[in-house]
Amino acid sequence: MHTEKTACILCSRVCGLTVDIEDGKFVKIKGDDDHPMSKGYICQKAARLEHYQNHDDRLSHPLKRQPDGSFAKVSWDQALSEIAAKLNSVKKESGGDAFALVGGGGQGNHLGVLYGQQLLGAMGSRFVYSALAQEKTQDFWVNGRLFGEQTCHTTEDVEHADYVLFIGCNPFQSHGIPNARDTLKAIKKDPNRTMVVVDPRKSETAKQADIHLQLRPGTDAFLLSAILAIIVREGLHDRDFLSKYCTGFEELNKELLTLPIEEYVRRADVPLEDVYRVARGFATANTACVRIDLGLQQTLHCTLNAYLEKMLYLVTGNFGRRGGNNLHTYFIPLIGNTDERKTVDGKKLKLTAHHKMIPISGLYPPNILPDEIELGGIRAVWVDSSNPLMTSADTAAYERAFNKLDLLVVVDIALTETARLAHYVLPAASQFEKWEASGFNLEFPENFFQLRKPLFSPHGESLPEPEIYTRLLVKMGLIPDCFPILEQVAKLEPKATGHQLFLASFAATLSLKKSWMRYGASILYRSLGRALPEDAAAGAIFFPLAMEYTSKYREAVVRAGFEGNRFMLAASLFRAILSRHSGTIISKHEFKDVWTLIKNKDGLIHLHIDEMLADLKDLRTEAQPFTDYPFILMAGERRSYNANQIFRDPNWRKVDKDGAMRMHPSDAQTLTIADGERVICKSSTGQIEVTVEVDDSVRLGMVSLPHGYGMRFKNSDPIGPQLNVLTSGAHCDPFTKTPYHKHVPVNILKLDKTVSRATA
């Protein structure tokens, strides 16, 4: 048995782990006390990672689908040669618009993205359909208008805030904040701190809160605008902050001053006196911050919600300070900036063929992909570390569309539901069998990065994604398989030069062969990578990223303990990332640095957004939503034992094996449904059979189901609810196409024994 350092891969916190390994298995998992951020903290889910690493659905070799729908084992050479030929054919016959990349980095699996995106350059495509565009693009778009670029992203200093407002999130289960359960406990125990939760369900976090606003599902915009209206009417807004750091407050203020507060609070169905308490408490606290998540981002008015929640901390001056909300830096660039009002590199934004959808942060929403395949001319799709058949809206629409493709390739560690439809399935090494990293380093003022080394040999013939993509580019005839001169320079260059000779040779090579510039990641992998210690070739891409980061944030990197001129500072950071297996603090900012991260030319925050003010005005005349379905389903609840699609073996769950549907006792009594009874949950799109858990944490007229279920294991029937049988691609925000997964109208029907027990 031996002990190694790594990290959990189940949520954005990526907590550090110390693991004991024996005979290729995790035998003990605990928190890593040396981890600079989590400092020994983990939750119960991390202890079950053996169920991810070793299970019966692991892929061990490439597969090719046969005419009868079965799969046959093929060699890597055959699979990549045939895929390369097909991709080249699609590009020649139909152009880059016929190709789309889906996914590109599962949870904590982001290093391969830097290599996989080379396929876009190879195909001449810009179509990336990402989970981020199913969840966060409304937030990115609003950030772009406020701060100047969509890459300006805020974080919250919950640990140091006197007043914390959690909206549409449950950190006790979903985490998202440092050492969530310890942090929540500290807030609850401190009489000088206040925790407020806005959530239709009395979640585990809400049970610890000082105030819980248990609003009617889908009314967040009404509640948040009422809170803002109280703040400005009582003169509790921070006039000095608004005057010094913001522009465009006047029109927002004018709208808020005439907003019908009591009517909006009645719409939200929460106590008026509690709303006033929250407005006054948040505005007058010494320090206050807002933490939001999918409960606010995947419900009605989600783009307006993104604007209003930011106004809470901006109007009260709780920005750019300890205990408030702040901007942060990125090490891995997870998103880009695609402002529809401007061109990118002199080119207009690429609209999708059928929906004419703009990209936001360079991403396109999965909601529209089935239509773009069937009606928009997409012929080839590459799916990386993603299972859209299960995770994107309308499973049936995805199944129909994917079956019409000329080429569907899936890269994954298991034969997922999406992989079952693929023409080729390529087995990736697991996250613990390769060098890997998370791009979720979203901290301020200190930022952090951890490159995780492999703990096991790859399973069977599986390969890490950098190797898969590099071999494919070679097969497509785009780059050679080796770069002997660059490799020799990298191996012979003295450490003291900070890779300057290699960089000069690398730049000269690309200047002579400009078509190779699109494939710099794989060229680095095949050259500098082969000179790195511990076979860390995949980590070569982090040297240019280290150069970019140290160039932008030199003073903050120096404060973190790194030294040297331009090249040596980057080399010092790069070596630390490679060698410090518990991770390293890469920068230490000061709070005044927040203002340098704003990208508007005038350095101010632009509060006036025409579209948002128009949406805010429209709330006044919006009728109550009407539906033939009497219940609202909150789809995708976080619970103790669910974790997206990363766990396939159902044995990992200690509780909630069925992924039960929670229903209020009064609703269950009205329908004569008993706890544990099987029923039909039906939407306009489909129906599934579920187990009922009678639970007073949900509101009357509301039900909830968890995500991360519905997979087949060892060729079984689906285990637990297949949520996206119920969701519709058309039930979404009209601008960003973000699905309303937290507001799905459904009916609950007693199970007719004569009805098929199928899930759709």
Side-chain angles (χ1 to χ4, degrees), residues 498-516:
H499 303 295
Q500 291 182 65
L501 295 177
F502 173 81
L503 284 176
S505 300
F506 182 69
T509 299
L510 296 186
S511 68
L512 292 172
K513 191 74 172 178
K514 290 185 171 53
S515 64
W516 288 358

Side-chain angles (χ1 to χ4, degrees), residues 41 178-187:
Y41 174 89
N179 300 8
R181 295 180 181 179
D182 290 348
T183 299
L184 293 175
K185 187 184 297 183
I187 298 172

